[in-house]
């Protein structure tokens, strides 16, 4: 049984993404010891029946997986700290892959530098299929235009494997803040421009570009505060140290359900099925975040053999079609929309064409 994954925020609350619990009676041993002989025979029969059922039940075997998969421990590298949407996505797929016969899959969190640490780590890894990147789309579609020295070439240094999920994003705030929607927040920001801050899990993201566009529209210069992932950023959102935060909606659903944060608006043009009561920023009159929906995709180092790439693509796309995986991620604000490597490459090119002029127009450039 896989262990529930949870992240404890210091002195506050816990993210728990798998709520399965194993009940155990503290007096079970005593009851069994005091059982009558007939009862013992009955329990023994049940035990034997359980063994027989377990033996006959279908289970994933290593030979169920494509033969060209790499042999050894597969690492899915994530550029954020544990507890956010990227980490949840990676661990959910790792668990599903293990159920489908891919024996050894782990998640390797390497947060920092707005995912560039993780990206560079995978870029330098051997192209053997054992080191994979769960990439967030801005690193491939926006960063090439917002960083002077990115450290990697999107097309030359990585091989696309499969797109896994779309990531609706959200603008959130702490429940102690005086504003309850985008219109109230904008009115507050105009009155308190020196206190208008935005917490970001990564610098140079679509959320930051959207905030810059919003600031220009309303005459407020929002000060960005960048963190090593959604979890530490949300700690400051909950405690109202920043006036708003932006990240994947999935990173925020547990806190929202726990009454710790308030959604001000979603990206995109449609509400989420999992959050029907939360309006988009666009429908509230602020279209700057409409295109801020991102995606998570699997990339490998350039030079990966064709057969290995095809085998990895096959198992990830198969995992993405599992109904339990789809439901788990959907319940947490993610939309499973698998694409093969060719569709992923085209998606990257399309979004680059969209974001390049906006990034240049914003004037932001990072080292």
């Amino acid at each position: 049984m896989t262990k529930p994954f949870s992240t404890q925020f210091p002195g506050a609350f816990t993210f728990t993404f798998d709520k399965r619990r194993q009940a155990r009676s503290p007096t079970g041993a005593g009851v069994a010891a005091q059982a009558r002989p007939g009862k013992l025979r009955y329990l023994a029969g049940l035990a034997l029946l359980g063994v027989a059922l377990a033996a006959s039940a279908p289970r994933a075997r290593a030979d169920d997986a494509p033969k060209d998969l790499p042999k050894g421990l597969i690492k899915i590298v994530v550029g954020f700290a544990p507890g956010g949407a990227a980490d949840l996505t990676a661990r959910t797929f790792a668990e599903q892959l293990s159920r489908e016969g891919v024996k050894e899959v782990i998640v390797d969190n390497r947060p920092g530098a707005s995912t560039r640490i993780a990206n560079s780590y995978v870029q330098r890894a051997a192209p053997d299929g054992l080191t994979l990147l769960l990439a967030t789309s801005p690193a491939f579609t926006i960063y090439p235009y917002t960083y002077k020295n990115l450290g990697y070439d999107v097309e030359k240094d990585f091989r696309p494997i499969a797109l896994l999920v779309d990531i609706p994003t959200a603008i959130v705030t702490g429940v102690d803040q005086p504003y309850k929607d985008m219109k109230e927040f904008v009115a507050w920001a105009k009155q308190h421009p020196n206190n208008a801050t935005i917490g970001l899990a990564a610098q140079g993201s679509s959320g930051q570009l959207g905030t810059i566009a919003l600031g220009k529209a309303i005459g407020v210069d929002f000060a960005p505060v960048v963190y090593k992932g959604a979890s530490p950023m949300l700690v400051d959102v909950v405690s109202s140290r920043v006036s708003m935060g932006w990240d994947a909606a999935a990173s925020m659903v547990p806190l929202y359900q726990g009454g710790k944060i308030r959604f001000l608006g979603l990206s995109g043009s449609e509400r989420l099925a999992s959050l029907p009561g939360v309006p988009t920023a666009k429908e509230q009159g602020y279209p700057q975040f409409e295109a801020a929906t991102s995606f998570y995709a699997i990339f490998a180092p350039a030079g990966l053999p064709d057969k290995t790439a095809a085998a990895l693509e096959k198992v990830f796309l198969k995992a993405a079609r599992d109904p339990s995986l789809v439901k788990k991620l959907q319940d947490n604000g993610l939309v499973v929309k698998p694409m093969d490597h060719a569709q992923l490459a085209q998606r990257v090119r399309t979004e680059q064409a969209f974001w390049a002029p906006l990034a240049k127009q914003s004037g932001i450039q990072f080292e």
Side-chain angles (χ1 to χ4, degrees):
M1 176 179 292
T2 56
K3 295 181 179 179
F5 170 68
S6 61
T7 297
Q8 180 71 42
F9 278 160
F13 36 82
T14 304
F15 271 169
T16 302
F17 296 111
D18 189 340
K19 296 181 182 295
R20 291 173 293 178
R21 293 177 293 175
Q22 182 178 1
R24 181 176 300 172
S25 169
T27 59
V31 172
Q34 296 172 14
R36 294 190 300 272
K39 183 72 169 180
L40 289 174
R41 285 194 295 272
Y42 172 71
L43 293 173
L46 286 179
L48 289 173
L49 177 61
V51 171
L53 290 173
S56 63
R59 64 180 67 182
R61 304 186 307 271
D63 55 7
D64 290 334
K67 63 179 181 178
D68 291 312
L69 278 176
K71 303 297 187 291
L73 180 67
I74 296 176
K75 292 191 297 184
I76 302 176
V77 180
V78 177
F80 298 102
D87 186 70
L88 169 63
T89 300
R91 293 181 189 275
T92 302
F93 271 90
E95 291 174 2
Q96 184 62 31
L97 290 177
S98 69
R99 286 193 287 269
E100 294 179 359
V102 185
K103 277 190 172 180
E104 300 174 297
V105 187
I106 65 168
V107 174
D108 183 5
N109 296 90
R110 293 179 177 266
S114 298
T115 76
R116 288 180 297 143
I117 291 175
N119 301 342
S120 296
Y121 175 81
V122 175
Q123 171 200 6
R124 296 191 301 268
D128 54 13
L130 294 177
T131 305
L132 305 174
L133 176 68
L134 183 84
T136 181
S137 54
F140 282 60
T141 62
I142 297 178
Y143 291 4
Y145 313 108
T146 56
Y147 281 89
K148 294 180 181 178
N149 300 300
L150 190 56
Y152 57 84
D153 187 293
V154 170
E155 293 188 5
K156 294 179 180 179
D157 294 334
F158 295 95
R159 178 163 187 163
I161 301 297
L163 190 147
L164 304 182
V165 299
D166 275 354
I167 318 162
T169 59
I171 306 157
V172 297
T173 190
V175 293
D176 293 332
Q177 297 283 23
Y179 33 85
K180 296 179 175 61
D181 56 29
M182 285 296 296
K183 290 183 178 180
E184 291 185 5
F185 171 70
V186 167
W188 176 90
K190 288 181 176 179
Q191 294 176 357
H192 306 85
N194 294 331
N195 297 326
T197 55
I198 177 171
L200 300 165
Q203 188 167 247
S205 61
S206 57
Q208 186 168 7
L209 292 180
T211 304
I212 291 173
L214 174 64
K216 289 182 177 180
I218 67 174
V220 175
D221 185 13
F222 292 96
V225 183
V226 183
Y227 299 81
K228 291 185 177 181
S231 295
M233 181 267 290
L234 288 170
V235 171
D236 280 2
V237 171
V238 170
S239 60
S240 297
R241 292 191 184 98
V242 290
S243 53
M244 71 171 179
W246 176 90
D247 199 58
S251 299
M252 311 177 194
V253 168
L255 292 175
Y256 172 70
Q257 293 173 338
K260 300 289 184 179
I261 62 172
R262 177 185 299 136
F263 279 104
L264 297 178
L266 294 170
S267 65
S269 56
E270 297 180 359
R271 298 191 183 197
L272 289 178
S274 57
L275 297 167
V278 180
T280 66
K282 180 183 178 181
E283 69 182 272
Q284 298 178 72
Y286 303 97
Q288 293 83 3
F289 296 91
E290 181 179 3
T293 294
S294 303
F295 63 78
Y296 293 140
I298 296 294
F299 287 83
L304 183 70
D306 291 346
K307 290 184 178 180
T308 305
L312 287 167
E313 177 183 316
K314 183 177 180 179
V315 295
F316 274 101
L317 293 180
K318 181 181 178 183
R321 292 190 292 268
D322 180 78
S324 62
L325 177 145
V326 172
K327 185 178 186 306
K328 178 178 180 178
L329 294 180
Q330 179 177 308
D331 289 346
N332 282 279
L334 292 164
V335 181
V336 180
K337 284 192 176 179
M339 294 184 179
D340 62 28
H341 72 281
Q343 293 169 316
L344 168 57
Q346 182 58 47
R347 175 84 176 263
V348 169
R349 289 191 292 269
T350 299
E351 294 205 7
Q352 285 177 338
F354 175 84
W355 286 112
L358 296 178
K360 292 175 182 178
Q361 183 181 359
S362 73
I364 59 175
Q365 278 282 294
F366 307 112
E367 295 295 334

